[in-house]
């Protein structure tokens, strides 16, 4: 297809504003999916995506769309729709998908208005110089207020409220007009057809049958089957086994040229060999410079993952190895814990990413797991001037700390104005510093804060939702790091550290963390033959203490003089119970107690 007849676009929207539904309708109206094959959320392949109604991996689809010019001549265009993930954890993937387009549909629910992710994605789209097409969705809803939100949208991006299109992804109303508008306003791609090939990878998906399927946007030159290609970040070369377009099923082609969007297969088995953001070139005639913008995704949130049954350790390792094939951003390394045994320290892009991975491990691999409280990376400068990165609080270099810095994020919160006071209090309590506040309309406000990421990973979102009856939405992006007065709080049972409960917190919050955990454990740990002190400590200084009183547990006394088989049964039963006990020093703790204490139940 010549570049003049190509339009590359994506849909950016807040979660639940109907992106997938609109995409489905476009597939149907352009005829690439027959009505009888249509099922809801055609493009969301993963079960977990479908169940939660969220899109995790982006994909591209090519759709033909014919428009008639003034002279009555029909022209057929190739519309490439690039689906982008909507969640903050996946901002890097969103930005790569946007870089593959010339235009974006800014989709807003006509009953909800602009939300935090609408704004975050809009800013990314503007940074990529995309032509923005504002669209209100769900106008079939009785609660829709398109006039009000058309004004809000026009105010946000400039332009007139009348230019805001109104559609319903559900009924299909307005969708044809939207397709016409895409052709009319989005610029055709430009590139040098004679230059050495350059293709940008905007997605890489693991397929059990075909190996890694790489989605690319051609910028310059051409790629053809059987050619040897080179990844510019690693210099690795591969043979191009297949190249084609998705419509939405894969259709092999004789090649892809300037401005085209499609997939390619090289036989690699691991998405790390075909990284999002990397540039592909021709090995024999390589381009001088890669396309801009490549960075390795960096994990922001860390958590220990342990099998509840220690004998599942090998299965857990195997499951993580498998997930890694399809998720280049997942990181893990073995770790041992006194309380939890053998497991892995895993790094995630954010909290949703963590949740998705643990849920897949549980569901797809049938593993029973326990995860420790999420933590961020702290950079600690020790008294000898050495800098160490700490992702596991139990590795904090106690007593040798000269300075600690913690990651900071820029947070955007959108909320109805009535909740501004409550939310400001919450942000202040989480050590936020206000950057600014804007009215988007009469009753909707955007609050901007700088906040430590460590304060957000610890149930901030739940608190925000409950304090605003679910009306607030949140987005954040990395904003460097800052030094802070942080300390490590340890929890000790009879003087022995329980590593899984160590936490790095702000000095002012150390006491409340200590009392919360010691109280929680006192209620959960059964009495022993001796008294067990539970303490919270900063270094050698005890900041909180509880006691579990001793009992005399002489089970055999009960059977004194009784028959021997009953006695044996009782002993066996005790042994059984002991298997699921963990020893912390001399103290026996049922594993359930650890699980309950970690999950806060
Ligand atoms: P992500 O892909 O996770 O970002 O979500 P999404 O934006 O794709 O939302 P999705 O298409 O899953 O739609 C969210 C909800 O809104 C679903 O329950 C849809 O049925 C509903 N919905 C979507 N479009 C319309 C519409 O035009 N009218 C009505 N009434 N409901 C809609």
């Amino acid at each position: 297809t010549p570049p003049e007849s190509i339009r590359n676009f994506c849909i950016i929207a807040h979660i639940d504003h109907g992106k997938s539904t609109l995409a489905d309708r476009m597939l149907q109206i352009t005829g690439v999916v027959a009505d009888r094959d249509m099922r809801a959320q055609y493009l969301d392949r993963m079960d977990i995506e479908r169940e939660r109604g969220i899109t995790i991996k982006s994909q591209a689809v090519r759709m033909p769309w014919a428009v008639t010019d003034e002279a009555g001549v029909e022209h057929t265009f190739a519309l490439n729709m690039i689906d982008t993930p909507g969640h903050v954890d996946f901002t890097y993937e969103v930005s790569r998908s946007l870089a593959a387009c010339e235009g974006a549909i800014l989709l807003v629910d006509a009953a909800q208005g602009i939300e935090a992710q609408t704004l975050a994605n809009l800013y990314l789209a503007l940074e990529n110089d995309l032509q923005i097409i504002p669209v209100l969705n769900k106008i079939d809803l009785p609660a829709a207020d398109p006039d009000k939100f058309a004004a809000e949208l026009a105010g946000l991006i400039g332009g007139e409220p009348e230019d805001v299109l109104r559609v319903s992804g559900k009924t299909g109303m307005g969708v044809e007009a939207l397709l016409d508008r895409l052709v009319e306003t989005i610029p055709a791609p430009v590139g040098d057809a004679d230059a050495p090939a350059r293709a940008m990878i905007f997605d890489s998906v693991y397929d059990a049958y075909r190996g890694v399927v790489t989605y690319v946007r051609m910028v310059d030159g051409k790629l053809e089957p059987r050619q040897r290609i080179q990844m510019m970040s690693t210099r690795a070369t591969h043979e191009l086994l297949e190249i084609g377009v998705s419509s939405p099923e894969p259709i092999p082609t004789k090649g892809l040229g300037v401005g085209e969007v499609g997939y390619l297969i090289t036989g690699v088995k691991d998405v790390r060999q075909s990284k999002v953001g990397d540039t592909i070139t021709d090995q024999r005639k390589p381009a001088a410079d890669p396309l801009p913008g490549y960075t390795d995704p960096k994990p922001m949130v860390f958590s220990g993952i342990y099998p509840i049954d220690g004998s599942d350790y090998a299965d857990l390792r195997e499951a993580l190895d498998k997930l890694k094939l399809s998720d280049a951003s997942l990181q893990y390394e073995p770790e041992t814990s006194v309380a939890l045994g053998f497991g892995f320290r895993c790094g995630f892009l954010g909290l949703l990413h963590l949740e998705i991975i643990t849920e897949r491990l549980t569901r797809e691999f049938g593993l029973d797991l326990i995860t420790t409280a999420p933590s961020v990376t702290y950079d600690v400068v020790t008294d000898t001037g050495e800098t160490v990165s700490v992702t596991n609080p139990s590795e904090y270099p106690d007593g040798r700390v000269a300075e600690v810095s913690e990651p900071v994020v820029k947070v955007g919160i959108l909320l109805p104005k009535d909740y501004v006071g409550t939310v400001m209090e919450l942000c202040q309590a989480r050590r936020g510093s206000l950057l600014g506040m804007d009215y988007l309309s009469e009753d909707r406000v955007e609050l901007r804060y700088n906040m430590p990421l460590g304060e957000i990973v610890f149930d901030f979102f739940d608190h925000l939702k409950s304090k605003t009856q679910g009306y607030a939405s949140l987005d954040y992006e990395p904003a460097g790091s800052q030094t802070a007065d942080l300390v490590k709080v340890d929890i000790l049972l009879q003087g022995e550290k329980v590593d899984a409960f160590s936490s790095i917190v702000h000095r002012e919050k150390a006491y409340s963390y200590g009392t919360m955990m010691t109280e929680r454990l006192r209620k959960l740990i059964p009495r022993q033959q001796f008294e067990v002190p539970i303490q919270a400590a900063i270094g050698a200084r005890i900041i909180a203490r509880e006691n579990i009183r001793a009992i005399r547990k002489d089970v055999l006394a009960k059977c004194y003089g009784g028959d021997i088989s009953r006695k044996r049964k009782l002993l066996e039963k005790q042994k059984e119970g002991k298997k699921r006990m963990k020893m912390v020093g001399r103290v026996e703790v049922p594993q359930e107690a650890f699980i309950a204490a970690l999950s806060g139940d």
Side-chain angles (χ1 to χ4, degrees):
T1 314
E4 315 78 85
S5 303
I6 298 173
R7 298 291 183 271
N8 297 322
F9 72 99
C10 55
I11 306 175
I12 54 183
H14 190 76
I15 279 175
D16 277 349
H17 282 200
K19 193 175 67 185
S20 303
T21 309
L22 177 64
D24 284 351
R25 233 22 15 79
M26 288 182 165
L27 295 180
Q28 211 172 5
I29 288 172
T30 57
V32 298
V33 177
D35 292 353
R36 71 187 140 78
D37 294 333
M38 198 66 216
R39 54 173 198 266
Q41 309 211 330
Y42 194 91
L43 298 174
D44 290 352
R45 305 267 161 132
M46 252 190 274
D47 281 351
I48 181 165
E49 289 190 10
R50 202 167 300 204
E51 273 169 35
R52 295 164 151 248
I54 54 169
T55 310
I56 297 159
K57 281 309 229 175
S58 51
Q59 261 169 319
V61 195
R62 178 162 153 146
M63 304 175 285
W65 187 244
V67 293
T68 313
D69 65 16
E70 296 97 59
V73 184
E74 204 180 71
H75 299 274
T76 302
F77 288 81
L79 303 182
N80 292 311
M81 173 167 63
I82 291 163
D83 198 15
T84 56
H87 193 272
V88 287
D89 285 4
F90 304 99
T91 300
Y92 176 68
E93 290 186 14
V94 179
S95 80
R96 293 302 84 203
S97 308
L98 296 180
C101 306
E102 278 76 29
I105 295 174
L106 180 65
L107 192 70
V108 172
D109 186 324
Q112 304 280 329
I114 294 162
E115 297 282 358
Q117 274 130 44
T118 321
L119 284 185
N121 290 330
L122 172 65
Y123 298 147
L124 281 176
L126 292 173
E127 275 167 29
N128 281 287
D129 287 326
L130 301 195
Q131 178 73 38
I132 308 293
I133 301 178
V135 178
L136 288 174
N137 188 30
K138 308 195 189 182
I139 53 163
D140 61 292
L141 283 178
D145 191 349
D147 291 338
K148 173 178 167 193
F149 293 119
E152 193 179 281
L153 260 179
L156 179 67
I157 58 171
E160 300 303 319
E162 302 78 69
D163 295 334
V164 177
L165 290 175
R166 300 176 180 198
V167 307
S168 165
K170 188 172 174 184
T171 67
M173 186 169 26
V175 175
E176 296 190 1
L178 172 58
L179 290 163
D180 288 342
R181 180 76 74 91
L182 291 173
V183 169
E184 191 186 313
T185 55
I186 295 178
V190 281
D192 185 348
D194 302 318
R198 287 202 298 177
M200 202 251 318
I201 301 177
F202 62 87
D203 201 5
S204 212
V205 182
Y206 177 75
D207 181 304
Y209 301 102
R210 310 200 300 162
V212 173
V213 180
T214 302
Y215 289 87
V216 293
R217 152 72 194 260
M218 290 302 301
V219 176
D220 297 320
K222 194 172 187 318
L223 286 179
E224 289 169 338
R226 299 281 143 208
Q227 196 174 341
R228 270 207 91 77
I229 56 168
Q230 184 165 49
M231 303 294 169
M232 294 190 78
S233 75
T234 59
R235 304 267 153 214
T237 69
H238 305 285
E239 186 185 354
L240 201 51
L241 302 178
E242 183 181 322
I243 187 162
V245 296
S246 314
S247 198
E249 300 309 329
I251 303 169
T253 62
K254 293 208 183 73
L256 293 177
V258 170
E260 288 195 285
V261 171
Y263 72 92
L264 54 86
I265 291 172
T266 60
V268 301
K269 288 275 178 284
D270 182 336
V271 290
R272 278 172 296 178
Q273 294 171 279
S274 202
K275 291 190 237 181
V276 172
D278 203 352
T279 302
I280 293 178
T281 191
D282 180 351
Q283 189 203 358
R284 245 170 286 147
K285 199 179 136 198
D289 301 303
L291 297 162
Y294 174 72
T295 49
D296 258 326
K298 225 177 104 195
M300 307 273 282
V301 176
F302 295 82
S303 176
I305 299 188
Y306 292 84
I308 287 187
D309 180 348
S311 64
D312 282 344
Y313 177 76
D315 291 345
L316 174 59
R317 172 190 291 276
E318 205 173 295
L320 285 167
D321 287 345
K322 279 212 180 104
L323 288 181
K324 178 89 193 168
L325 292 176
S326 61
D327 185 346
S329 52
L330 172 64
Q331 293 190 356
Y332 52 92
E333 53 183 52
E335 154 178 289
T336 42
S337 150
V338 176
L340 306 172
F342 292 99
F344 293 90
R345 173 115 312 229
C346 303
F348 306 94
L349 297 175
L351 283 177
L352 179 71
H353 191 209
L354 184 159
E355 224 181 287
I356 289 166
I357 295 293
T358 46
E359 204 168 315
R360 290 187 68 184
L361 287 170
T362 313
R363 201 188 299 196
E364 292 171 29
F365 298 92
L367 294 163
D368 280 330
L369 301 170
I370 171 168
T371 54
T372 62
S375 167
V376 299
T377 307
Y378 296 96
D379 286 325
V380 182
V381 181
T382 63
D383 46 11
T384 55
E386 179 197 1
T387 305
V388 281
S389 274
V390 176
T391 60
N392 180 350
S394 70
E395 287 162 9
Y396 197 72
D398 263 329
R400 303 175 37 224
V401 177
E403 192 179 88
V404 198
S405 39
E406 58 178 351
V408 179
V409 289
K410 213 167 101 189
V411 179
I413 301 170
L414 254 80
L415 69 168
K417 72 166 188 299
D418 298 346
Y419 297 107
V420 166
T422 333
V423 171
M424 283 179 130
E425 262 169 44
L426 174 66
C427 293
Q428 243 113 48
R430 298 296 183 113
R431 298 191 285 132
S433 57
L434 185 65
L435 296 173
M437 172 169 152
D438 288 309
Y439 275 82
L440 293 171
S441 61
E442 238 168 68
D443 57 352
R444 288 187 69 72
V445 177
E446 183 192 20
L447 285 175
R448 279 170 287 118
Y449 273 91
N450 254 345
M451 217 185 275
L453 180 61
E455 295 282 348
I456 292 182
V457 300
F458 204 73
D459 68 11
F460 178 73
F461 192 56
D462 293 341
H463 280 271
L464 180 67
K465 282 284 174 196
S466 67
K467 283 193 176 1
T468 61
Q469 257 92 60
Y471 281 118
S473 57
L474 166 79
D475 199 276
Y476 57 80
E477 58 179 79
S481 62
Q482 68 183 19
T483 57
D485 190 10
L486 301 171
V487 292
K488 182 178 72 153
V489 179
D490 290 315
I491 304 297
L492 303 110
L493 275 187
Q494 227 200 9
E496 295 274 339
K497 235 181 252 177
V498 188
D499 51 7
F501 296 121
S502 294
S503 185
I504 296 170
V505 296
H506 194 259
R507 191 178 298 276
E508 281 170 14
K509 293 183 179 176
Y511 177 74
S512 62
Y513 178 78
T515 41
M516 176 190 76
M517 286 313 290
T518 47
E519 266 172 38
R520 214 184 255 177
L521 286 169
R522 178 179 52 80
K523 290 186 193 136
L524 289 165
I525 297 175
R527 292 158 126 205
Q528 318 266 320
Q529 312 262 7
F530 43 86
E531 186 178 271
V532 179
I534 310 173
Q535 297 160 309
I538 300 174
R541 191 163 58 87
I542 305 299
I543 57 168
R545 178 182 172 128
E546 295 274 344
N547 262 330
I548 304 173
R549 276 184 298 125
I551 46 155
R552 273 219 63 83
K553 188 170 73 177
D554 195 352
V555 282
L556 291 184
K558 272 191 228 148
C559 317
Y560 191 71
D563 74 295
I564 189 75
S565 75
R566 219 179 120 211
K567 213 181 261 180
R568 191 180 304 126
K569 239 188 215 152
L570 200 56
L571 284 170
E572 257 159 31
K573 225 166 153 195
Q574 264 196 335
K575 218 162 90 198
E576 189 96 357
K578 272 200 182 110
K579 272 200 241 149
R580 291 177 34 241
M581 291 283 182
K582 300 269 176 181
M583 297 300 293
V584 176
R586 284 168 60 215
V587 185
E588 273 186 353
V589 185
Q591 196 172 23
E592 286 76 22
F594 284 131
I595 298 172
L598 279 171
S599 58
D601 293 352

